[in-house]
Amino acid sequence: MITSFFPGRVRLRAPVFKEADLVEKAQAILKKSDAIKRVEHNPVTGSVLIEYYPAKVPMEKLSSMQNFFMHLAREAEHFDGTNREQILSMLDELETLEL
């Protein structure tokens, strides 16, 4: 799912990123954070580029949520439409967490 990474920039690629409504929901969640500079979505390639301020990313909090993010990544990588509700539910859960 992560195709490129260095502090301040990460590119993700998965079939789920071709689904505009799911990407829009995820973007809305990300944009609530002051750690995010920019989110760029390419629906043709199914990729998302996230640029962020590394110093503002709470690594301790993210580390504690590693299992959640790994589960979300598996769902995204194996997206076939049948797991749409599962992904939406996980995005709802993510939205309630304070990162």
Side-chain angles (χ1 to χ4, degrees):
M1 184 160 158
I2 296 175
T3 60
S4 139
F5 169 81
F6 59 89
R9 184 179 189 277
V10 63
R11 181 174 299 278
L12 309 170
R13 191 176 314 267
V16 72
F17 297 132
K18 293 183 178 183
E19 301 293 313
D21 61 326
L22 296 176
V23 174
E24 287 171 16
K25 183 171 182 74
Q27 281 180 315
I29 294 167
L30 288 171
K31 289 180 179 179
K32 289 180 181 179
S33 170
D34 66 347
I36 303 298
K37 290 181 190 178
R38 179 172 76 105
V39 179
E40 181 181 299
H41 173 227
N42 184 330
V44 175
T45 63
S47 72
V48 173
L49 172 67
I50 302 169
E51 292 181 354
Y52 63 95
Y53 300 100
K56 292 185 176 184
V57 176
M59 294 309 289
E60 301 81 27
K61 178 80 172 188
L62 293 176
S63 294
S64 70
M65 298 174 58
Q66 183 177 8
N67 288 337
F68 173 86
F69 286 120
M70 288 176 66
H71 183 218
L72 181 57
R74 279 192 302 275
E75 291 293 329
E77 285 182 299
H78 302 292
F79 180 79
D80 63 2
T82 62
N83 58 346
R84 173 181 292 279
E85 290 306 314
Q86 175 68 17
I87 291 172
L88 284 171
S89 175
M90 293 183 80
L91 289 175
D92 288 341
E93 181 179 347
L94 183 60
E95 191 168 22
T96 65
L97 301 174
E98 291 184 30
L99 296 177

